[in-house]
Amino acid sequence: MRPTPMDWARRRRQERDTRRIEAAGARALSRLDHLGPSWHVVDWPRTEMTESSMLDLDYRSRDERAGFLAIGPSGLFAVTVADHGRSRVLIAGDVVQINGKRPAYVSEARRDAKRAAKALSNAVGLTIPVTPVLTFVGSGVISVYGLPKECLVATHRELDRLLVAGGNRISAATAEKLSRVAQSPSTWLNAPYRSAADYRWYEEGRTAADKAAGRR
């Protein structure tokens, strides 16, 4: 059947929104290019993934915001990208206000990080913490009257500095292994428990007891 004018307009709007989301994600990703080979960026399904959704090549276009996992010496971060364009952004704790609306960006970022941590922990057999990061892409002014708890916030221009600010918490080898786990589709399909014995998190001949205590 020939699409109606309403169907055509809706499809064009969805295509435009998809391009805008992809452009916002690309601008945020561009800040991570010079972090070096010890950092890995993984495109992961931010929505619940099933066997049927894996066959749907367009499942990412249904996300309202871009997002990716950043894995490096500072740890694991679930980055949620929000495109605010030229609009002014007001941030007061967990409240984000744009054009009079209050989108649930902070709670969504926390939810994504929690889901990523659960999936990675189940796949590895160890507790894998994932830090939520909310990144704003746009030229509008951002006014902050208090940052949210347990969620990092930055503009896309500050994203690289924010990620490395935590110092070295894991080795480059561990970051590389975790990135391979995150890239596996089975990780996001609630795969059966995989024993931690399948992964070697320390160098040959070393154990967790040999690891030097970190300074606080």
Side-chain angles (χ1 to χ4, degrees), residues 6-33:
M6 184 66 69
D7 293 335
W8 180 86
R10 185 182 299 109
R11 185 172 63 252
R12 289 295 300 271
R13 184 169 59 252
Q14 290 174 347
E15 293 174 352
R16 183 175 62 250
D17 292 343
T18 297
R19 290 194 297 269
R20 178 176 53 81
I21 292 171
E22 292 176 349
R27 292 179 66 182
L29 280 171
S30 66
R31 300 298 303 181
L32 308 185
D33 290 342

Side-chain angles (χ1 to χ4, degrees), residues 23 25 29-30 36 46 50-51 57 76 89 91 95 100 103 120 122 124 127 130 134 162 168 203-204 214:
L29 280 171
S30 66
R46 294 172 57 245
T50 62
E51 292 284 356
L57 300 180
L76 284 79
V89 179
I91 302 176
V95 179
L120 292 170
N122 289 339
V124 171
T127 301
V130 178
L134 178 58
L162 177 68
N168 294 332
E203 297 178 1
E204 189 70 33

Side-chain angles (χ1 to χ4, degrees), residues 2 6 11 13 15 22 46 80 83 98 103 113 124 135 145 149 157 163 167 186-187 189 195 197 216:
R2 178 176 299 179
M6 184 66 69
R11 185 172 63 252
R13 184 169 59 252
E15 293 174 352
E22 292 176 349
R46 294 172 57 245
T80 300
D83 181 12
I98 304 176
V124 171
T135 301
Y145 299 94
K149 297 180 179 179
R157 298 181 182 87
L163 296 183
S186 62
T187 298
L189 282 171
S195 173
R216 293 188 177 180

Side-chain angles (χ1 to χ4, degrees), residues 2 14 26 33 57 71 77 88 90-91 96 100 103 113 123 125 132 145 150 155 172 191 193 206 211-212:
R2 178 176 299 179
Q14 290 174 347
D33 290 342
L57 300 180
I71 305 174
F77 302 86
R88 183 181 180 183
L90 301 177
I91 302 176
V96 176
Y145 299 94
E150 299 179 352
T155 66
Y193 173 82
R206 298 189 64 186
K211 188 176 180 181

Side-chain angles (χ1 to χ4, degrees), residues 68-193:
F68 53 86
L69 293 177
I71 305 174
S74 298
L76 284 79
F77 302 86
V79 181
T80 300
V81 181
D83 181 12
H84 65 96
R86 299 179 181 179
S87 302
R88 183 181 180 183
V89 179
L90 301 177
I91 302 176
D94 290 359
V95 179
V96 176
Q97 181 170 309
I98 304 176
N99 292 331
K101 299 180 180 179
R102 295 185 176 183
Y105 287 168
V106 174
S107 60
E108 290 176 4
R110 290 190 185 123
R111 180 200 61 197
D112 290 346
K114 184 177 180 180
R115 178 173 166 269
K118 180 179 179 180
L120 292 170
S121 298
N122 289 339
V124 171
L126 299 171
T127 301
I128 307 296
V130 178
T131 302
V133 179
L134 178 58
T135 301
F136 288 94
V137 175
S139 58
V141 176
I142 299 179
S143 302
V144 180
Y145 299 94
L147 292 173
K149 297 180 179 179
E150 299 179 352
C151 180
L152 303 180
V153 179
T155 66
H156 74 281
R157 298 181 182 87
E158 304 168 336
L159 181 58
D160 53 340
R161 295 193 296 270
L162 177 68
L163 296 183
V164 300
N168 294 332
R169 298 182 179 179
I170 60 178
S171 67
T174 299
E176 198 276 333
K177 292 175 182 177
L178 287 172
S179 71
R180 291 204 304 266
V181 175
Q183 291 170 9
S184 174
S186 62
T187 298
W188 311 107
L189 282 171
N190 296 323
Y193 173 82

